[in-house]
Amino acid sequence: MFRTMMNAKIHRARVTEANLNYVGSITIDSNILDAVGLVANEKVQIVNNNNGARFETYIIPGQRGSGVVCLNGAAARLVQEGDVVIIISYALVAEDKVPYHQPKVAIMDENNRIVEMLHAEPESTVL
């Protein structure tokens, strides 16, 4: 049996742009992607803390060091510039590997810089 487990999370990133006239997806600074192990075209879930929207799309790598988090295409209708989002990827993990699985979680500041890296969800619900 396999379980679907959180594999990576970018926690509390700020949307820098919403571009309705693009084909689709989310553009994320490549440095952030590298830090949490996400790659181009990988499926991610987006949770908008400002309006509660939850949706899925795929990743386009953005310019390194830019801090870009841009929702493109139809997804741009679900966010506004400045919204706080959580970006999550999942992986299928074999049952015997579940106890050893450690996701990568990047805690972001208001400028989309990583301020802390975690490998488990903290017991506290507030960061």
Side-chain angles (χ1 to χ4, degrees):
M1 174 160 55
F2 290 90
R3 296 202 182 249
T4 303
M5 307 293 291
M6 180 180 70
N7 196 51
K9 179 164 82 165
I10 303 168
H11 188 74
R12 296 189 58 83
R14 299 245 178 212
V15 174
T16 59
E17 184 181 350
N19 186 346
L20 185 61
N21 296 316
Y22 192 80
V23 175
S25 68
I26 183 170
T27 304
I28 303 171
D29 179 325
S30 290
N31 288 344
I32 299 169
L33 296 178
D34 290 348
V36 295
L38 295 173
V39 296
N41 300 307
E42 186 169 356
K43 178 181 174 179
V44 288
Q45 179 183 45
I46 314 297
V47 180
N48 186 332
N49 284 10
N50 292 76
N51 64 20
R54 297 175 83 91
F55 54 95
E56 296 174 339
T57 190
Y58 63 92
I59 296 170
I60 292 178
Q63 181 180 349
R64 289 188 180 281
S66 66
V68 66
V69 174
C70 177
L71 278 300
N72 303 301
R77 293 211 182 266
L78 301 173
V79 300
Q80 294 183 28
E81 186 175 324
D83 281 359
V84 174
V85 295
I86 300 170
I87 304 160
I88 310 163
S89 76
Y90 300 91
L92 293 174
V93 178
E95 186 76 26
D96 63 330
K97 305 287 188 208
V98 168
Y100 312 105
H101 177 70
Q102 292 189 341
K104 292 181 180 179
V105 179
I107 308 298
M108 310 304 288
D109 71 8
E110 62 278 352
N111 296 307
N112 289 339
R113 291 183 303 238
I114 298 170
V115 294
E116 186 176 3
M117 286 295 297
L118 306 173
H119 295 286
E121 288 289 309
E123 292 179 16
S124 169
T125 59
V126 179
L127 290 177

